[in-house]
Amino acid sequence: MAAPSQASLFDFDDVPTVRPLAGVIRRTELAGGAWVDIRPGWVGGSDALFEELALAVPWHGERRQMYDREVAVPRLLCFYDESASLPNPALVAAKAMLDDYYREELGEPFSTAGMCLYRDGNDSVAWHGDTIGRSKTEDTMVAILSLGAPRSLLLRQRPIDGTITAPPVKYGLGHGDLIVMGGSCLRTWEHAIPKTSRPVGPRISVQFRPRGVR
Ligand SMILES: O=C(O)CCC(=O)C(=O)O
Ligand SMILES: [Fe+2]
């Protein structure tokens, strides 16, 4: 890894703890029936959790076809399907709290956990919606826990006929922050973690999704 993980100035706990959502999480309505909920510092001891996941998760690289070339996906990945046990008890507690808080609105539990490890500022995810499966046609949610060095997550309305209508909305997410994208967000908006030339430490994101949503 290019830069060492820089411990948060605020997060001294050694033991990861999931803090409450009710009364603290804040919703922002976006155009077209999309919304985001943000809960800064949702997981305490997030730097300890970062270190534990960096070691415990069987991270792997992937390659994908881009026109006539095969290129490396610019981040490490691991996917826990609904039958897999999560690699840390703090993630079990996090999922249980999400299920409790969103049960009525979502109407089903979160069931899978996708994980990304952005090793440095060269790692990224390009503009996309999470539109594989039901999220292509239905309102649903993805809840993303960010650990380690903050990176910008950008959101923009899906371009219509290639035209981008407004500047992106930007959230800096790391050190235990939670963002939940909901309503029509996964299909009517796109999100990205752009590359950065700033020297940044590694970041892990954990994406909790309901069954049949990617
Ligand atoms: O790392 C993040 O916060 C976003 C990851 C993401 O968009 C995805 O895996 O679909
Ligand atoms: Fe995504």
Side-chain angles (χ1 to χ4, degrees), residues 127-204:
W127 285 112
H128 70 283
D130 293 7
T131 51
I132 301 174
R134 286 186 288 132
S135 40
K136 195 175 175 64
T137 49
E138 286 173 24
D139 285 9
T140 184
M141 294 183 199
V142 56
I144 304 177
L145 167 64
S146 296
L147 303 165
R151 291 285 297 268
S152 294
L153 183 144
L154 307 184
L155 275 159
R156 71 178 184 197
Q157 234 175 332
R158 185 174 283 285
I160 298 162
D161 297 331
T163 309
I164 295 160
T165 47
V169 187
K170 180 163 142 181
Y171 296 99
L173 300 170
H175 298 310
D177 299 333
L178 172 69
I179 185 170
V180 181
M181 296 186 250
S184 69
C185 196
L186 297 178
R187 63 175 195 282
T188 64
W189 285 63
E190 296 180 325
H191 52 279
I193 306 279
K195 293 184 194 304
T196 174
S197 55
R198 280 187 305 118
V200 286
R203 167 178 177 270
I204 289 173

Side-chain angles (χ1 to χ4, degrees), residues 78-82 84 86-87 91 95 110-116 143 205-210 214:
C78 191
F79 185 72
Y80 290 79
D81 69 18
E82 57 193 273
L86 292 168
L91 297 184
K95 184 187 126 42
F110 290 92
S111 89
T112 64
M115 310 226 183
C116 294
S205 72
V206 183
Q207 312 107 35
F208 295 99
R209 298 186 183 87
R214 262 320 249 289

Side-chain angles (χ1 to χ4, degrees), residues 14-15 19 31 40 47 49 57 63 68 71 73 77 79 83 130 136 155 158 166 180 199:
D14 295 339
V15 182
R19 297 169 175 151
D47 297 331
L49 181 56
V57 171
R63 300 186 68 77
D68 56 348
V71 295
V73 170
L77 300 156
F79 185 72
S83 67
D130 293 7
K136 195 175 175 64
L155 275 159
R158 185 174 283 285
V180 181

